[in-house]
């Protein structure tokens, strides 16, 4: 703790504070310079974020076949057969006659069984293991196409535990249900179709005393009363349909794919259902419009950054200056201080010029269109727009209706040379600009300052600030020493004056 002015009566602390404020002026300037660099870095990164999102989303979407070849499929019997088409689906008319739907095998217990669901199976006389077989064609079924499913009945297992174990088995196309309302057990396939043409889809031991017989299940119907047969497996069958009046197909599922079109069978048709497959032009126009709007936003952002006015009389505020201002005053000041932060950055204007140039070239390919203007898209005639794209929707729709594949090839023909698509050329320009900004301002994830140009300048200023702050500490200490010496000298003079006055006082009194 320092106390000054005891001898002189001077407010030493205030004087030193004022002197140090003058000394700190260069330091404030360095802090302002660093703040400007931080603002410039952040402004660059805002542009890069916009470019990055554009590259990863909009440009990517424009390279996908689904953008240009999404299909609309209508059906004259929507309740019986519907369809979806991938990008490679052939447009045209398809006739489908569904004669039979695929169904799942199901086995319902022929008789009621009395189970106490709160007791374990062993308490009710059921122990050992549960085994049944299913059939299939994939590798998990082996060469003979049969798979055995086995579940041990553990001590403490209730019926619900065993049912859950069977139902949770991803390798088993079977589920089991115990209906407490009717006291019946159901076992059924979770897939449609016939996999074992020579017998049952779910084979199990139904001999007397077996697990399944105790559940009331049997492989074949059994007589439960005079002449009444119940139980046994039933229901498994394949779907059967005729395609375009000539091609008869039998399939295990209620869907089938032909020519990139997936037909979904919901019911048997009343004669033939007619399905029309056409390109979804509305979808493509919407995607292209979204892309153009995103591109124009980038043009706006970069063009505005080069036209913003620079207010040199509005440097970044110091902490002391901010303490004397309201939040709104600070906001308005910094709005002007940040204006024109990227003005004059030549690689931004050259990057925008390169992006604009991507649209002007001719794309030499086998398609019907070689330039953007041929499909109703051109750059704005107003030079103040900075090269924004303008869409003539009627011409674009006409081109898409005539030859969507050629429109796609014009945009996204991923080859080198004169046949390179417009989107691919734009992508090259965007990624080049992103790379230059990364060199200048680093990535948002950059931790070290020495990895990019502005960071190195900030690091240099940080070093100068540290050195200057040490110098200020020394200057302040020197001021205190000087004032302390002055106080000591004044104190000595006061003492000498008091001594002289005391010596001459008697003579003065006579």
């Amino acid at each position: 703790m320092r106390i000054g002015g005891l001898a002189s009566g001077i407010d030493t602390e205030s004087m030193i504070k004022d002197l140090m404020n003058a000394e700190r002026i260069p330091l404030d300037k360095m802090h302002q310079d660093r703040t400007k660099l931080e603002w410039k870095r952040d402004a660059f990164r805002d542009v890069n974020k916009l470019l990055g999102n554009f590259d990863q989303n909009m440009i990517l979407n424009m390279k996908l076949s689904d953008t240009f070849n999404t299909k609309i499929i209508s059906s004259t019997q929507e309740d019986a057969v519907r369809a979806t088409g991938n990008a490679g689906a052939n447009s045209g008319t398809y006739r489908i006659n569904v004669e039979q739907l695929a169904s799942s095998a199901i086995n319902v217990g022929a008789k009621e069984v009395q189970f106490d669901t709160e007791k374990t199976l062993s308490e009710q006389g059921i122990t050992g293991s549960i085994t049944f077989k299913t059939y299939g064609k994939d590798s998990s079924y082996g060469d003979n196409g049969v798979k055995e499913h086995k579940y041990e009945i553990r001590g403490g297992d209730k019926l619900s535990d065993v049912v859950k174990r069977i139902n949770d088995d991803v390798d088993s196309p079977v589920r089991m249900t115990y209906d407490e309302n009717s006291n019946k057990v159901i076992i059924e396939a979770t897939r449609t179709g016939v996999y074992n043409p020579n017998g049952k889809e779910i084979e199990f031991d139904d001999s007397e005393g077996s697990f399944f017989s105790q559940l009331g299940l049997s492989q074949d119907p059994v007589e439960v009363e005079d002449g009444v047969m119940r139980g046994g497996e039933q229901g498994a069958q394949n779907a059967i349909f005729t395609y375009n009046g000539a091609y008869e197909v039998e399939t295990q599922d209620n869907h089938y794919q032909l020519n990139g079109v997936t037909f979904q069978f919901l019911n048997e048709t009343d004669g033939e259902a007619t399905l029309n497959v056409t390109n979804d032009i509305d979808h493509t126009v919407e995607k292209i419009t979204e892309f153009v709007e995103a591109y124009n936003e980038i043009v706006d952002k970069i063009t505005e950054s080069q036209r913003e006015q620079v207010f040199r009389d509005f440097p970044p505020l110091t902490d002391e200056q901010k303490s004397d201002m309201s939040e709104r005053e600070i906001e308005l000041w910094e709005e002007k201080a940040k204006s024109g932060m990227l003005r004059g950055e030549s690689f931004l204007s050259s990057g925008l010029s390169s992006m604009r140039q991507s649209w002007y070239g001719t794309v030499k390919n086998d398609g019907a269109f070689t330039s953007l203007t041929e499909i109703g898209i051109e750059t704005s005639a107003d030079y103040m727009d900075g090269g924004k794209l303008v869409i003539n929707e009627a011409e674009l729709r006409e081109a898409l209706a005539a030859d969507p594949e050629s429109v796609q090839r014009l945009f996204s023909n991923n080859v080198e040379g004169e046949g390179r698509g417009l989107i691919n050329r734009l992508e090259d320009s965007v990624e080049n600009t992103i790379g230059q900004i990364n060199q200048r301002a680093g990535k948002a994830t950059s931790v070290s300052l020495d990895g990019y140009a502005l960071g190195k300048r900030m690091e240099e200023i940080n070093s100068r600030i540290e050195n200057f702050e040490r110098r200020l500490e020394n200057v302040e200490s020197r001021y205190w020493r000087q004032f302390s010496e002055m106080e000591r000298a004044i104190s000595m003079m006061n003492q000498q004056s008091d001594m002289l006055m005391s010596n001459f006082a008697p003579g003065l009194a006579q």
Side-chain angles (χ1 to χ4, degrees):
M1 181 177 179
R2 291 166 170 170
I3 300 175
L6 293 177
S8 65
I10 297 172
D11 187 353
T12 306
E13 186 173 356
S14 295
M15 289 188 67
I16 292 178
K17 182 179 179 181
D18 291 339
L19 289 169
M20 291 306 299
N21 285 339
E23 294 283 353
R24 284 193 176 90
I25 290 175
L27 180 63
D28 289 339
K29 180 65 170 60
M30 283 187 273
H31 278 290
Q32 288 172 324
D33 289 343
R34 185 177 65 181
T35 299
K36 281 185 178 180
L37 290 176
E38 290 172 348
W39 285 349
K40 178 169 284 193
R41 177 198 62 190
D42 294 343
F44 272 127
R45 289 181 179 180
D46 286 343
V47 174
N48 236 11
K49 183 178 180 180
L50 197 61
L51 289 172
N53 289 337
F54 181 69
D55 184 32
Q56 295 169 17
N57 297 313
M58 293 301 174
I59 287 181
L60 176 61
N61 286 342
M62 290 296 290
K63 294 164 71 176
L64 299 176
S65 293
D66 284 347
T67 298
F68 301 92
N69 293 304
T70 299
K71 305 298 179 181
I72 296 177
I73 304 179
S74 61
S75 171
T76 58
Q77 297 186 41
E78 288 280 348
D79 59 337
V81 57
R82 300 174 186 173
T84 56
N86 61 31
N90 294 323
S91 298
T93 300
Y94 300 84
R95 305 191 319 275
I96 301 293
N97 182 10
V98 181
E99 302 164 27
Q100 176 178 292
L101 291 179
S103 59
S104 303
I106 185 170
N107 194 325
V108 180
K111 57 185 179 181
E112 294 185 18
V113 289
Q114 298 298 323
F115 269 99
D116 187 338
T117 56
E118 298 302 318
K119 289 185 178 181
T120 65
L121 291 175
S122 60
E123 288 176 329
Q124 299 177 76
I126 301 177
T127 58
S129 61
I130 305 165
T131 305
F132 59 86
K133 296 177 181 178
T134 59
Y135 293 79
K137 295 180 180 179
D138 63 51
S139 58
S140 66
Y141 282 85
D143 295 335
N144 60 359
V146 182
K147 184 189 292 184
E148 184 176 83
H149 309 273
K150 188 173 183 179
Y151 308 90
E152 295 293 335
I153 298 177
R154 304 165 185 164
D157 273 350
K158 299 176 183 177
L159 178 61
S160 59
D161 297 320
V162 174
V163 168
K164 185 177 187 304
R165 201 173 303 144
I166 293 173
N167 293 347
D168 289 349
D169 187 353
V170 294
D171 293 325
S172 172
V174 169
R175 66 170 169 255
M176 183 180 285
T177 306
Y178 174 55
D179 183 3
E180 295 185 48
N181 297 311
S182 64
N183 291 321
K184 287 191 176 183
V185 175
I186 303 167
I187 187 168
E188 59 186 320
T190 56
R191 62 191 180 185
T192 59
V194 176
Y195 289 83
N196 180 20
N198 300 318
K200 307 297 182 183
E201 294 298 316
I202 307 170
E203 287 189 355
F204 52 82
D205 179 11
D206 61 356
S207 60
E208 187 175 351
S210 68
F211 173 77
F212 288 101
S213 68
Q214 293 183 72
L215 294 179
L217 293 165
S218 60
Q219 287 279 248
D220 297 303
V222 296
E223 187 174 351
V224 294
E225 55 184 90
D226 293 341
V228 178
M229 305 293 289
R230 288 181 184 162
E233 183 180 291
Q234 55 187 302
Q237 63 180 27
N238 291 333
I240 300 174
F241 72 97
T242 303
Y243 170 77
N244 281 349
Y247 181 43
E248 295 184 359
V249 180
E250 184 172 345
T251 173
Q252 293 164 326
D253 304 302
N254 282 316
H255 54 82
Y256 200 83
Q257 187 179 74
L258 283 169
N259 295 327
V261 179
T262 301
F263 300 95
Q264 186 72 38
F265 310 129
L266 307 175
N267 212 330
E268 296 175 4
T269 56
D270 182 8
E272 285 187 335
T274 302
L275 293 94
N276 290 310
V277 180
T278 57
N279 284 322
D280 189 352
I281 293 177
D282 288 340
H283 171 80
T284 304
V285 170
E286 180 183 347
K287 290 296 182 183
I288 292 176
T289 301
E290 288 177 358
F291 169 80
V292 168
E293 288 174 350
Y295 172 79
N296 287 344
E297 183 183 354
I298 290 173
V299 173
D300 262 342
K301 179 76 173 178
I302 297 178
T303 301
E304 182 184 355
S305 74
Q306 300 306 296
R307 293 175 179 170
E308 278 185 342
Q309 185 176 351
V310 178
F311 297 94
R312 302 192 186 280
D313 294 333
F314 287 81
L317 295 168
T318 64
D319 291 339
E320 187 174 352
Q321 289 171 328
K322 287 181 179 180
S323 65
D324 295 329
M325 300 170 69
S326 68
E327 290 186 7
R328 180 59 178 161
E329 287 173 333
I330 294 171
E331 181 183 346
L332 292 173
W333 182 283
E334 291 192 344
E335 185 178 319
K336 287 185 177 293
K338 291 179 179 180
S339 178
M341 194 57 58
L342 299 181
R343 183 164 181 167
E345 294 292 342
S346 58
F347 73 87
L348 281 181
S349 53
S350 64
L352 180 58
S353 177
S354 175
M355 283 187 273
R356 286 197 297 258
Q357 193 63 37
S358 302
W359 303 119
Y360 299 144
T362 298
V363 179
K364 294 183 179 180
N365 56 51
D366 297 331
F369 309 113
T370 59
S371 68
L372 203 61
T373 55
E374 293 177 351
I375 63 170
I377 303 176
E378 57 185 15
T379 53
S380 171
D382 187 350
Y383 79 95
M384 291 297 291
D385 284 342
K388 289 183 182 179
L389 295 180
V390 179
I391 299 175
N392 183 320
E393 188 172 322
E395 291 184 14
L396 177 59
R397 286 180 177 275
E398 184 179 344
L400 289 169
D403 194 343
E405 291 185 4
S406 290
V407 175
Q408 179 182 358
R409 197 174 293 119
L410 172 68
F411 275 112
S412 57
N413 197 31
N414 191 21
V415 297
E416 298 298 329
E418 295 180 334
R420 191 163 179 78
L422 299 176
I423 290 296
N424 304 88
R425 297 176 185 181
L426 176 66
E427 182 180 35
D428 296 340
S429 297
V430 169
E431 291 182 351
N432 181 58
T433 303
I434 289 174
Q436 290 190 58
I437 292 177
N438 285 340
Q439 291 178 8
R440 182 90 163 120
K443 298 180 180 179
T445 54
S446 298
V447 177
S448 173
L449 293 175
D450 60 5
Y452 53 97
L454 289 177
K456 291 177 181 177
R457 288 174 60 186
M458 282 189 280
E459 201 167 40
E460 178 188 349
I461 291 177
N462 287 340
S463 177
R464 287 165 52 199
I465 287 173
E466 289 177 7
N467 292 334
F468 200 84
E469 284 176 341
R470 282 195 294 269
R471 176 180 170 277
L472 288 178
E473 288 176 4
N474 294 333
V475 169
E476 186 174 8
S477 296
R478 176 168 57 81
Y479 280 141
W480 276 105
R481 286 196 305 271
Q482 289 173 337
F483 274 96
S484 296
E485 286 296 323
M486 182 189 73
E487 290 290 335
R488 189 170 66 82
I490 291 173
S491 177
M492 290 178 62
M493 290 173 63
N494 288 339
Q495 289 174 9
Q496 291 173 355
S497 176
D498 290 342
M499 182 182 66
L500 289 171
M501 290 297 292
S502 64
N503 287 335
F504 287 110
L508 291 173
Q510 292 177 1

